[in-house]
Amino acid sequence: MSALALSVLLSLVSAVAYASGAILQEHVATDTPARPYAPLHHGLWWAAVALNGLGAALHVVALAYGPLSVVQPLGALTIVFALPMAALFVGRRAGRTAWRGALMASVGLAGLLALTEGTDTRALDGTERLVLAAATFGAVGVVFLAAQLVGRPAVRSMLLAAAAGIAFGIASVFTKTVAVDWTSDRPTVQVPSLVVIAVLAAGGLLLSQASYRGAGLAAPLATVTVVNPVVAATVGLTLFGEDFRYGTLGTALALASGAVAAGGLILLTVERSVAASRAARAATRGGAGSSVPAARPPERGSEPDTARAQVGEGVDVGAVAGPRAHLEVEMRSGAVTGRS
């Protein structure tokens, strides 16, 4: 097997591992709504953590055997694998709008990454790492606070997923620069960068877990899948001297690919919001219907009440209500006649 074929195979298995981890995370989020970030007591959550770790490890190995322009676009298949796997294994079927949004996001991301041209890799110096880490923590914090202020669950989910994607993307950048700058005689120099990687990876995992609460699978996963490499590619373009292929045409195609990916995310957000609104209306109608007291059957009243009800219908009172009611009706009739 050639190195390129091995890289493609590893990338595909990595995407399947990421998709499996996301499905488990969404399932855990449904089971434990009171613990949106770290449901440590849930065994499936730890299985999701293991699957995400496996996906990351396979992705790194795939990069060692194949070019970035091939491996990164294949990572966009995570969302494409996740939807049919969720329908097959846990019975969570996505609607047509969700499928269109997921495919648009994947195609746009794949096109954007395929047009990015790498250059000779270099490591970031200490000042660049410090500035990048501070900017990343600030951006993640701002997006997280914005998510807390949003009232719509679908939008809040997308913001949390975007924060997770930023954390994962910059963690990849730090991983790349540590790998380039690693020296066996001075390993302690990389300790600050390793700490940043650990914090960003853990924070991204917790944020992505929270993004699945009440938001389904497709929208949060697509957001993380798109934001993660886009952020990493943006840093590569600005700090690592990467560029788009084919000059001006490549830049225009990259912008178009980004627009397609953004349109896919918008479709996913709209689809989830519409589904949530329909569910809320259905719940409201059901609650309103259940709150109306059921009509009570007419109670069998006293004999005079029964007699009065049936006199107007021309029914023989004596046969129905008994002699007492018959006598009372005659007395009332006489009184009426006397008054008239």
Side-chain angles (χ1 to χ4, degrees):
M1 181 181 294
S2 66
L4 179 60
L6 179 59
S7 174
V8 171
L9 179 61
L10 290 172
S11 298
L12 294 177
V13 178
S14 172
V16 171
Y18 278 132
S20 303
I23 293 171
L24 292 182
Q25 282 185 277
E26 194 271 337
H27 180 73
V28 171
T30 304
D31 285 349
T32 58
R35 299 193 178 192
Y37 294 98
L40 302 177
H41 68 289
H42 206 300
L44 286 180
W45 187 72
W46 291 105
V49 172
L51 286 169
N52 281 308
L54 175 62
L58 291 173
H59 182 75
V60 171
V61 176
L63 286 173
Y65 285 96
L68 183 68
S69 59
V70 173
V71 175
Q72 286 289 72
L74 290 176
L77 294 176
T78 298
I79 182 63
V80 178
F81 289 154
L83 294 183
M85 288 172 63
L88 179 63
F89 294 113
V90 297
R92 295 186 182 274
R93 291 178 172 82
R96 287 179 294 180
T97 302
W99 269 106
R100 286 197 296 269
L103 290 175
M104 285 177 61
S106 301
V107 170
L109 175 62
L112 181 63
L113 295 177
L115 290 168
T116 303
E117 185 176 21
T119 58
D120 294 335
T121 305
R122 71 174 184 86
L124 299 176
D125 58 33
T127 302
E128 289 174 328
R129 296 188 196 192
L130 180 61
V131 171
L132 181 59
T136 301
F137 287 123
V140 171
V142 169
V143 177
F144 175 78
L145 290 177
Q148 306 310 306
L149 299 175
V150 171
R152 300 178 64 181
V155 179
R156 180 171 62 248
S157 169
M158 299 288 278
L159 289 173
L160 290 172
I166 293 172
F168 286 139
I170 301 302
S172 299
V173 173
F174 272 89
T175 301
K176 180 178 180 180
T177 193
V178 166
V180 171
D181 202 31
W182 185 270
T183 56
S184 57
D185 56 337
R186 298 178 61 192
T188 56
V189 175
Q190 304 296 336
V191 169
S193 295
L194 294 175
V195 171
V196 171
I197 293 171
V199 172
L200 290 175
L205 179 64
L206 299 180
L207 290 167
S208 66
Q209 179 63 54
S211 70
Y212 290 109
R213 184 178 59 168
L217 175 68
L221 180 58
T223 303
V224 173
T225 303
V226 170
V227 173
N228 176 357
V230 167
V231 168
T234 301
V235 175
L237 292 170
T238 55
L239 296 181
F240 290 108
E242 296 178 351
D243 199 357
F244 291 118
R245 292 184 173 89
Y246 313 122
T248 304
L249 176 61
T251 302
L253 292 175
L255 292 175
S257 298
V260 171
L265 294 181
I266 292 172
L267 273 182
L268 288 168
T269 305
V270 171
E271 189 270 344
R272 190 62 198 178
S273 298
V274 170
S277 299
R278 289 176 179 172
R281 287 197 299 268
T284 302
R285 287 196 299 268
S290 61
S291 64
V292 176
R296 293 186 298 175
E299 297 182 357
R300 192 177 298 274
S302 61
E303 290 179 352
D305 295 334
T306 307
R308 282 194 296 271
Q310 298 191 4
V311 164
E313 297 176 1
V315 180
D316 185 1
V317 175
V320 177
R324 180 182 173 186
H326 191 283
L327 178 61
E328 183 179 353
V329 171
E330 288 181 347
M331 293 174 63
R332 291 182 178 179
S333 299
V336 172
T337 305
R339 283 195 299 269
S340 62

